[in-house]
Amino acid sequence: MRNIDFLPDAFRQACRRRTSRIRRLWLGGMVLCVLIGWLGVDELRLRRARQYVDYLAVQNETVQAGLQHLARLQAEQTALLDKHRLLQELQPPASSVATVFRIAQLLPEHVALKQLQMTCRPAPVVELPAAKAPGPKTAEPRPVLPRVALWGIALSQVDIAVLVGQLSGCREFANVRLDYSKAADLESRRVQEFRVTFDVLTQAAATQTASGA
């Protein structure tokens, strides 16, 4: 038995066109969905990239502000160091009042001072040993040491020796030396004139002396 199709050709062609149109619509919809998904992923990546760029910009501003603050701190530190250096240069290396008071404490009973002079002079330069500093020898600068000179009279040489011994035993003084001692007449009495010189150790000099010892 044969199947007889009584549908006209125009209807069958219309059905084919409708089916082809539906397929095309489905295919276009699928392509459109893929494109929308692709664009969404790209947009998400672009948004993340923008957020990362904004984060880097904020970090750059923070770093720049920190560098400017560091530069200001360094300028302030330089100014403070200059002021500290100036104050150290203006201040005397040792107190003359404390030095005179210490000398008065060490002065024997039969010794009288006629003159006291304090001057500042550079201390001798000390070369570093070869074992501690390999290579060429370098000179280590020493602090400025006040130099004190005493002129006075004593009843005897023993009193002068006692004065020199007491000055030598004092930790604040160094390089005590008796420059001269000679006989003289004072109001029909025989006395001994003398001159004693020594260095006054400052805090920096005492520190270097202790470290060198």
Side-chain angles (χ1 to χ4, degrees), residues 143-157:
V144 175
L145 296 180
R147 186 73 170 174
V148 176
L150 301 178
W151 288 268
I153 57 175
L155 290 181
S156 63
Q157 294 285 351

Side-chain angles (χ1 to χ4, degrees), residues 69-83:
H69 184 64
L70 181 61
R72 289 194 297 269
L73 291 179
Q74 289 179 348
E76 292 178 1
Q77 181 184 14
T78 303
L80 290 176
L81 288 177
D82 292 339
K83 291 181 180 179

Side-chain angles (χ1 to χ4, degrees), residues 88-151:
Q88 285 186 339
E89 292 177 357
L90 293 178
Q91 290 179 353
S95 174
S96 58
V97 176
T99 302
V100 172
F101 180 74
R102 187 59 176 159
I103 293 173
Q105 288 180 333
L106 300 176
L107 204 64
E109 181 179 0
H110 300 293
V111 174
L113 296 182
K114 297 170 56 178
Q115 184 180 354
L116 185 148
Q117 181 182 6
M118 178 182 290
T119 57
C120 293
R121 64 179 183 85
V125 177
V126 177
E127 293 184 352
L128 296 177
K132 293 184 180 180
K137 294 183 179 180
T138 57
E140 180 183 1
R142 305 285 292 191
V144 175
L145 296 180
R147 186 73 170 174
V148 176
L150 301 178
W151 288 268

Side-chain angles (χ1 to χ4, degrees), residues 111 113 147-154 156-168 174-183 192-199:
V111 174
L113 296 182
R147 186 73 170 174
V148 176
L150 301 178
W151 288 268
I153 57 175
S156 63
Q157 294 285 351
V158 177
D159 296 324
I160 299 176
V162 172
L163 174 62
V164 173
Q166 290 183 354
L167 292 175
S168 301
N175 304 322
V176 181
R177 186 179 63 182
L178 177 62
D179 293 338
Y180 66 84
S181 174
K182 62 181 180 179
Q192 297 290 329
E193 291 184 348
F194 64 90
R195 180 176 185 268
V196 177
T197 56
F198 56 89
D199 294 330

